[in-house]
Amino acid sequence: MGKLLLVGCGKMGGAMLDGWLARGLVAADIVVAEPVEAIRPRHAGVRVVSSSTEMAETPEIVVLAVKPQSMDETLVDLRRFAGQGSVFLSIAAGKTLGYFAARLGHAAKIVRSMPNTPAAVRQGITVATAAASVTAAEKKRCHELLEAVGQVLWADDEALMDPVTALSGSGPAYVFLLVEAMAAAGVKAGLPADMAMQLARATVAGSGELLKQSKEPASQLRVNVTSPGGTTAAALQVLMADDGIQPVFDKALAAASHRSKELAG
């Protein structure tokens, strides 16, 4: 791989950088542009600059890890690389292929991706979609970069990125809310608050790991826990009722997907 320019090194950008180095990417091939001194990486061999204007050579891939509201300003200097064949890999929520094409040129090679925060522990999942100008080899390179922090899926239809954002991009917050709700219910049932939270956290984390390691579908794992007429069955009668958890999730994801469309313009 040629030179890699990482623009922005906040939580997600930093997680990706750590993943790349852990997977053997040569530190000397990475340049990080980060204006905030406090979050600049200190990895040996990685060149760090305050602005992409300080990079004279043409990077093979530019990874855009800045906040969406900073993207317009960020792209002003980077446009010069578009005409030189660089691939732009964005992890910014809501910024479409059309948005980047309007600012970098319609021939620019752009990959739009939506990772999620478990990338911080290399357990994330990312969905990506590419402009028609991106070659199979370039998609493969982007796949390898994204894979450093978790699983990677590709969508041919960019319209899928809105429900992807609603499900997996925002999804960790739903899981954390579930932990809060379980712990709060435990307290109401008589448990001490610290014990209830410890039980809820460990239960969700352990169930997630079981789900990851098991070849059985989630529905079967649920059945495996549920004894007929038992305590779990009693709870599931409530959660799986017509007015239970499913319609709530339907409404929540619809709202998030709608908001994703609004943010995209």
Side-chain angles (χ1 to χ4, degrees):
M1 184 175 288
K3 283 287 185 182
L4 173 65
L5 173 60
L6 172 62
V7 184
C9 201
K11 290 183 179 179
M12 192 65 73
M16 294 184 76
L17 176 60
D18 290 343
W20 299 336
L21 295 172
R23 288 171 69 98
L25 196 64
V26 177
D29 289 338
I30 304 172
V31 179
V32 177
E34 174 50 66
V36 180
E37 174 69 30
I39 61 174
R40 288 179 185 167
R42 300 291 189 269
H43 300 287
V46 175
R47 179 183 167 200
V48 182
V49 296
S50 61
S51 168
S52 60
T53 59
E54 299 176 48
M55 186 171 181
E57 63 269 50
T58 300
E60 181 182 4
I61 298 178
V62 179
V63 180
L64 300 167
V66 299
K67 294 184 182 299
Q69 57 267 34
S70 303
M71 193 63 75
D72 282 0
E73 179 184 357
T74 299
L75 294 178
V76 172
D77 173 65
L78 296 174
R79 183 184 173 95
R80 60 195 168 106
F81 295 135
Q84 299 168 17
S86 296
V87 177
F88 290 81
L89 170 58
S90 168
I91 63 171
K95 297 302 183 184
T96 66
L97 296 176
Y99 165 88
F100 289 107
R103 289 157 180 79
L104 297 172
H106 291 280
K109 298 179 178 183
I110 306 156
V111 174
R112 174 188 177 187
S113 70
M114 182 70 248
N116 62 6
T117 56
V121 291
R122 298 177 204 165
Q123 296 293 321
I125 188 163
T126 301
V127 178
T129 190
S133 55
V134 180
T135 67
E138 289 164 342
K139 284 179 64 176
K140 182 175 183 293
R141 293 188 187 99
C142 290
H143 186 104
E144 291 167 351
L145 292 174
L146 295 170
E147 198 173 39
V149 292
Q151 301 177 59
V152 183
L153 302 175
W154 288 84
D156 293 330
D157 182 1
E158 188 183 7
L160 295 178
M161 296 301 287
D162 293 316
V164 162
T165 300
L167 178 54
S168 62
S170 301
Y174 314 154
V175 176
F176 302 144
L177 177 60
L178 173 64
V179 171
E180 293 179 78
M182 288 173 62
V187 170
K188 292 172 184 175
L191 292 172
D194 57 346
M195 177 182 286
M197 180 55 73
Q198 186 175 351
L199 288 171
R201 288 179 68 121
T203 298
V204 171
S207 299
E209 186 61 27
L210 176 59
L211 187 64
K212 180 181 177 181
Q213 293 188 25
S214 177
K215 294 182 180 180
E216 293 184 312
S219 58
Q220 185 57 51
L221 292 173
R222 169 178 53 77
V223 170
N224 294 348
V225 184
T226 310
S227 300
T231 58
T232 307
L236 290 177
Q237 282 186 336
V238 176
L239 294 172
M240 297 177 71
D242 290 344
D243 60 348
I245 197 170
Q246 189 60 60
V248 172
F249 267 101
D250 292 345
K251 289 174 61 178
L253 265 69
S257 185
H258 179 70
R259 183 57 179 155
S260 178
K261 290 183 176 71
E262 289 181 334
L263 292 173

